[in-house]
Amino acid sequence: MVRISGALLKDAGSGLTKTLSEILVCPLTKQPLRYCEASNSLISDTIGVSFPIKGGIPCLVPRDGRIIETDDALKREDREK
């Protein structure tokens, strides 16, 4: 298992290999994750949580996830109009 993980992460660099991104799922919902180049993170669109990638390794521990506040930003823009 360690050899497989090492091989998958070997060429990850700043992003993830396509194979690894197809395997990984959200630890909370078990739904697919989307890679975001801008924040170098994996996004769970189902619950709006971003999981960071540090040193090419996805941090999928639930406490490492960060809630995406795009909905809050949109609501503030609507109130300002």
Side-chain angles (χ1 to χ4, degrees), residues 42-64:
L42 294 170
I43 309 291
S44 174
D45 291 320
T46 307
I47 57 174
V49 173
S50 171
F51 296 96
I53 299 172
K54 298 178 183 175
I57 301 172
C59 300
L60 297 176
V61 177
R63 70 169 182 236
D64 289 340

Side-chain angles (χ1 to χ4, degrees), residues 4-78:
I4 294 171
S5 298
L8 290 172
L9 292 171
K10 180 181 174 187
D11 298 321
S14 62
L16 291 173
T17 62
K18 185 173 182 176
T19 305
L20 186 57
S21 65
E22 291 171 350
I23 295 170
L24 295 176
V25 296
C26 175
L28 301 170
T29 64
K30 309 299 185 245
Q31 296 298 313
L33 294 167
R34 173 177 55 87
Y35 175 66
C36 176
E37 275 187 58
S39 64
N40 192 34
S41 63
L42 294 170
I43 309 291
S44 174
D45 291 320
T46 307
I47 57 174
V49 173
S50 171
F51 296 96
I53 299 172
K54 298 178 183 175
I57 301 172
C59 300
L60 297 176
V61 177
R63 70 169 182 236
D64 289 340
R66 194 181 76 232
I67 296 173
I68 301 170
E69 300 181 13
T70 54
D71 291 342
D72 293 339
L74 291 173
K75 289 176 186 175
R76 272 187 263 132
E77 287 177 12
D78 290 341

